[in-house]
Every structure is written in structure tokens, then in C-alpha cells.
Amino acid sequence: MITLAVDAMGGDSGLAVTVPGALAFLKQQQDVHLIMVGDESAVRQALSAANAPMERITVLHASEVVGMDEAPQLALKNKKDSSMRIAINQVKEGNAQAAVSAGNTGALMATARFVLKTIPGIDRPAIAKFLPSDSEHLTLALDLGANVDCTPEQLVQFAIIGNELFQALYPQKGSPRVGLLNVGTEDIKGTDTVKQTFKLLKSSKLNFIGNIESNGVLYGEADVIVADGFVGNIMLKTIEGAVKFMSGAIRQEFQRNLFNKMAAVAALPALKGLKSKLDPRKFNGAILLGLRGIVIKSHGGTDDIGFSYALEEAYHEAKSASLSKIEQGVAEQFAALEAIKAEQAAQEEQQAEETKV
């Protein structure tokens, strides 16, 4: 039985989304128990009105709620009895395998990092998310907004934890192809940070395929794409905006005249397939990757269907026991990287001695 802790009060709509989303998820997965955290009276009332299967739900009271516009550090310091904090505590205490919240992203990251700590060797957690592609597999992208300014070493850390998550969730796919998001594929392009990151990744044991441009992200050119949070967030928001624009433009064209409307009827099966493939709700649920615990961030403005997909992401990770695999893989990758650095340093020292002679 998998147990997930749910911040029932988080997000733009709170219980109006989290409760129906949770019930939709429970219908899909039978081996799950939910801990719904929030104002007990309000949570129970919402669950009762929805005829929830209470034998599969535990309600945990929280007297506070973190506001969507609340400063992260103030939320961390002053909201110790918030639904967000208590949900994350359930993971820390071993009562749940994962926590899910649609609440304030900054507060969620700060609280999760404080409560759960990071995996040894990882300086900062990253926001990671699976994106759609035109192939049969998904592409994992990170960081998508948690760290807007990163060192080359931190970008390598993101590559390592992204690589290990992908392998833990999809072991049958073999070694993931890791790409570095850049303005060109040539290794001479990019900022100094990106160039240094390229060199470090090239010398690592990762299956590093080099730089990748943003126009190749949705074509499955890489399994794991690494960027700092500034670049990654802009890429993500651009993709989201492009999808909305295309959906609206297609709808507008088919409604332009009677002939187009008739053509739309004939194209309806294809249009439904396209809509399903590009439905952003299916990709709701970003992973706070690098923590010693599983925490999933749902989009604050999603609906109940989108929230159910965030719960599905948490379930998938908890089911695969990905955390222990990631920690072990990260340790092995760092050990290999240090060995390579030591070997390179020894070679440089030997070359320096030979030069002296």
C-alpha cells in the first residue's frame, strides 16, 4: 500500500480542486491511502459531500495555510502548523512515501529543503518535469525555476540527479541521453558557465550527448535536459504559451466559416488525439529533485484532473522506490567523477614535471 500526504488547502482553489482530484486518483489506483492535511472540519465536510471512500483516507488537522503570495522564508519561519509543512513532515516521519502540494512554489521548496534536507553531494534541489515529445518516451527537464543562477558544478549535479531519476523510473530504457540546453550545438557556444559545464559533463560517466537547442526539446533528442532555473523556466513557459496559441489558432480557423466547420467534423478524431497529447494537465506535477524525500509540486491554477495527474506522478515515484535508487546512483556518479578528476590532475602534474625536465 502506497501512502501519499496531500496538502489539501494549497493552490488557487484549495479544497475545490484537491478533493475531487484526490477522489479521481483513488478510482484509478487501488493500492493507495491518502493523508489529507488541512482544516479538519472543512476537509471532512468536502470529503463527505463528495461521498469519499473514508476507509482509504486519513484526515490530519492543520491550523494554518501558506498563502500563494507569501514570502518563502516567512512561511518557513511562521507557518510551522501549515497544511504544507505537516504534509511534508509525514514524509520525514515515514508516515507517507511522498507529499503533493499545489501551494506556493517558493515556500514548498524552502520548507521541503529544511525538513527533508538534500541528498549528499547535492547543493540545491531542482524543479524537474517530464515534457511531451513526438516520440514514445518523455523528456525530463531540469531546473525549471528553483535556481536562477547556478555554478557549473551545480549544473552537473542536476544532470546526475536527473539521470538517476530517469533510470530509476525507466530502467528498461538503458542509460539516458543527457543534453545541455544551449544557444547552439557547438561546444564553443554559450556562456562561460555553460562552457565549463560542458567540459565537466564530457569527462563524466554520464551518457552526455552534448549541447541541445530548445527547438529539439520536444523531438526526443535527449532523455534528460539540463539548464539553470532562469533558462529552464523561460523554455517551459514558452512551450506552454506555444501550445495555448496553437490550440486557440486551430479552434479559431475551424470556426471561421461553414466549410471549415464541416472540415472540423471530419478531422474530429485527429483533433481529439492532438488535444489529448498536448493537454498540459497530463504533465502536471513537477518533482522537487535532490531532496531526501519525494515532494511533488502541482500547478497552483490546475483543475481537479490536473491535480489527479500530480498525485499519479507521486504514486509512480513512490511505487518505483526511486529515492533509494537515486541516492545510490548519485553516490556512484560522484565517486566516478572524483576518480576522473584525480586522474586528470595526476596527468597534468606529470606533464608539468616532464616540461620542467
Side-chain angles (χ1 to χ4, degrees):
M1 180 69 71
I2 299 296
T3 300
L4 304 180
V6 181
D7 172 10
M9 314 302 289
D12 295 343
S13 302
L15 292 170
V17 163
T18 59
V19 167
L23 299 189
F25 168 70
L26 286 175
K27 289 180 181 178
Q28 296 297 319
Q29 303 297 344
Q30 300 303 313
D31 59 338
V32 179
H33 187 88
L34 298 181
I35 302 175
M36 302 289 288
V37 186
D39 180 275
E40 184 171 5
S41 176
V43 173
R44 287 192 180 279
Q45 184 176 355
L47 290 171
S48 176
N51 294 317
M54 295 307 297
E55 69 277 5
R56 299 177 62 193
I57 298 173
T58 298
V59 179
L60 203 57
H61 181 66
S63 62
E64 298 172 314
V65 177
V66 174
M68 293 299 284
D69 58 351
E70 199 162 342
Q73 293 305 317
L74 290 178
L76 177 62
K77 181 180 179 181
N78 300 328
K79 296 286 183 73
K80 296 180 181 180
D81 198 45
S82 68
S83 54
M84 179 186 291
R85 177 73 168 263
I86 293 176
I88 295 172
N89 283 344
Q90 301 312 297
V91 178
K92 173 70 173 179
E93 295 165 6
N95 299 325
Q97 283 82 53
V100 181
S101 175
N104 182 317
T105 302
L108 183 67
M109 178 65 80
T111 303
R113 185 179 182 183
F114 177 80
V115 173
L116 299 174
K117 313 305 180 189
T118 56
I119 294 171
I122 303 298
D123 294 338
R124 305 175 181 176
I127 295 178
K129 187 174 183 179
F130 283 96
L131 304 175
S133 74
D134 69 341
S135 58
E136 292 301 317
H137 74 277
L138 301 178
T139 298
L140 180 68
L142 72 165
D143 176 30
L144 297 178
N147 308 282
V148 296
D149 189 18
C150 301
T151 65
E153 290 75 17
Q154 287 165 345
L155 289 174
V156 172
Q157 291 172 19
F158 296 163
I160 288 174
I161 55 178
N163 177 83
E164 296 307 318
L165 174 65
F166 197 97
Q167 280 198 313
L169 295 178
Y170 304 104
Q172 72 278 9
K173 294 184 178 293
S175 183
R177 298 163 299 155
V178 178
L180 180 62
L181 193 62
N182 201 352
V183 294
T185 57
E186 302 87 350
D187 59 1
I188 60 172
K189 288 190 174 180
T191 64
D192 288 339
T193 298
V194 171
K195 291 176 184 177
Q196 292 176 43
T197 304
F198 184 99
K199 292 178 181 179
L200 290 172
L201 289 173
K202 194 173 182 180
S203 65
S204 72
K205 292 294 184 181
L206 297 171
N207 182 17
F208 179 55
I209 61 172
N211 291 326
I212 181 172
E213 294 180 277
S214 57
N215 58 7
V217 170
L218 300 185
Y219 286 94
E221 292 183 5
D223 300 306
V224 178
I225 296 176
V226 180
D228 63 49
F230 184 84
V231 173
N233 189 266
I234 289 176
M235 175 194 71
L236 178 66
K237 296 295 175 59
T238 301
I239 291 173
E240 291 175 345
V243 169
K244 288 182 180 179
F245 169 77
M246 287 188 294
S247 299
I250 291 172
R251 187 184 307 109
Q252 193 175 49
E253 285 302 316
F254 275 123
Q255 293 176 347
R256 187 173 296 276
N257 53 52
L258 181 60
F259 179 79
N260 285 10
K261 289 179 180 180
M262 293 173 63
V265 174
L268 194 58
L271 291 173
K272 285 184 176 180
L274 179 63
K275 182 179 180 181
S276 176
K277 188 170 186 177
L278 296 180
D279 188 348
R281 297 176 299 183
K282 284 190 173 183
F283 303 94
N284 184 41
I287 308 152
L288 304 193
L289 192 55
L291 297 168
R292 303 198 74 176
I294 300 171
V295 178
I296 303 298
K297 170 66 174 76
S298 168
H299 196 293
T302 193
D303 61 10
D304 56 320
I305 296 174
F307 193 76
S308 71
Y309 276 108
L311 290 168
E312 188 72 37
E313 181 65 45
Y315 169 81
H316 187 36
E317 284 205 43
K319 190 81 170 178
S320 67
S322 61
L323 186 61
S324 59
K325 296 176 184 177
I326 291 171
E327 290 202 25
Q328 181 182 351
V330 166
E332 292 172 356
Q333 288 285 355
F334 278 124
L337 192 59
E338 289 302 316
I340 292 170
K341 287 181 180 179
E343 183 179 345
Q344 291 176 342
Q347 290 176 352
E348 291 174 0
E349 186 177 346
Q350 183 178 353
Q351 290 174 356
E353 290 295 328
E354 292 174 353
T355 303
K356 289 180 182 179
V357 173

